[in-house]
Amino acid sequence: MSGSQFSITNAVRNAYIFVGRERAYLTRLALLPTGVDALTKVMIFMNGKDMSIFESFSWSVPSAVLTGWFMFHLARLLMMGERANALPNDTAYLATRQRGMNASILIWLLFSMSWVALQGFQSWVMNPEQGVVNLGMATISMLFFGAAFWCIRYGVAHILAAVNYPISKYIRRVAGLSISFRLTGMGLLGVLPVLSCFYFLTTLVMPTGVTDMYDPRLAPIVVLSAPVQMIITAIMTAAGAFALREIMERPSTDESA
């Protein structure tokens, strides 16, 4: 069996069960990140026509940091049983925990920045000022897209950093494209129920005659998207943690030989 294999359905199912069971604790943790994210989304929505994707992301950095902080706590709870309101009075433990938090948030920021950079580059290539797509640049764009797909494996690296697990050991275990395909499938399966519910809610509050995505009447939907995004973040972090536990707890080929 490939070292990168894990049960997608089990990871997603267990994630929903975990988030549902710990909803009270996770809700308390998510209040600040969700509030900041909602304010950021509204600000970007009000000025979005005049912002580039990079300007929008720069305004979103505080929200991204707090989201990383939230995911750090969720990962520690799931993988270590640690709760922020019941930390041991151990200086060495707290110092190690702080290093894990810093590394986890930094890795999440770097991953998010890379994704935004790719989006910006793709947008620039496919919408040139001259109105003609350059074949060479389009080829480079496709190569970047392939490299980005390969790098999906790093989308769970912040979870490993949160529990001070060596990321290099994970990378050696998941060589090949299989892990990227499986994480993508896990992501699609995990977000589909939440997005379906969000779409249903938006149809109930969507005003009629909207033709502009920056129509002020869409502000309530923009605000609602913040808690929805946090729910997706919780589910995907939990699913990623369950997937990593299955991958890393399985004996490697070298160990089982």
Side-chain angles (χ1 to χ4, degrees), residues 7-177:
S7 174
I8 295 174
T9 54
N10 284 346
V12 173
R13 183 184 68 247
N14 290 336
Y16 272 88
I17 294 172
F18 173 81
V19 172
R21 185 176 67 243
E22 299 292 345
R23 61 187 180 277
Y25 174 74
L26 295 178
T27 297
R28 289 195 298 271
L29 287 175
L31 286 177
L32 179 59
T34 303
V36 172
D37 188 41
L39 290 174
T40 302
K41 288 181 183 300
V42 170
M43 186 278 300
I44 294 175
F45 173 73
M46 294 172 60
N47 301 276
K49 287 185 176 180
D50 303 319
M51 285 187 179
S52 68
I53 187 173
F54 301 108
E55 289 174 316
S56 298
F57 178 76
S58 66
W59 280 100
S60 301
V61 168
S63 174
V65 170
L66 288 172
T67 299
W69 175 85
F70 170 79
M71 291 189 289
F72 166 81
H73 284 85
L74 189 152
R76 298 280 291 195
L77 172 62
L78 194 155
M79 303 187 81
M80 300 176 62
E82 177 192 277
R83 295 180 183 273
N85 55 357
L87 296 177
N89 187 20
D90 185 324
T91 303
Y93 179 92
L94 295 177
T96 301
R97 181 181 184 274
Q98 185 63 48
R99 287 194 297 270
M101 179 187 295
N102 295 341
S104 180
I105 295 174
L106 179 60
I107 290 172
W108 172 247
L109 279 178
L110 291 175
F111 184 81
S112 301
M113 290 169 60
S114 300
W115 177 244
V116 170
L118 176 65
Q119 288 180 294
F121 179 77
Q122 296 283 14
S123 177
W124 175 70
V125 169
M126 302 311 294
N127 296 280
E129 294 180 1
Q130 297 83 359
V132 179
V133 178
N134 181 277
L135 181 60
M137 293 304 295
T139 302
I140 295 175
S141 176
M142 292 302 296
L143 291 175
F144 275 16
F145 181 82
F149 184 79
W150 184 87
C151 288
I152 287 175
R153 70 194 61 214
Y154 294 110
V156 294
H158 62 287
I159 300 175
L160 294 171
V163 295
N164 303 104
Y165 190 95
I167 298 175
S168 58
K169 185 176 180 180
Y170 160 74
I171 295 302
R172 289 195 299 270
R173 178 69 67 90
V174 298
L177 279 174

Side-chain angles (χ1 to χ4, degrees), residues 1-4 168-169 171-175 247-248 250-257:
M1 179 180 289
S2 171
S4 62
S168 58
K169 185 176 180 180
I171 295 302
R172 289 195 299 270
R173 178 69 67 90
V174 298
I247 291 172
M248 305 314 295
R250 183 187 304 120
S252 66
T253 304
D254 294 338
E255 293 170 344
S256 59

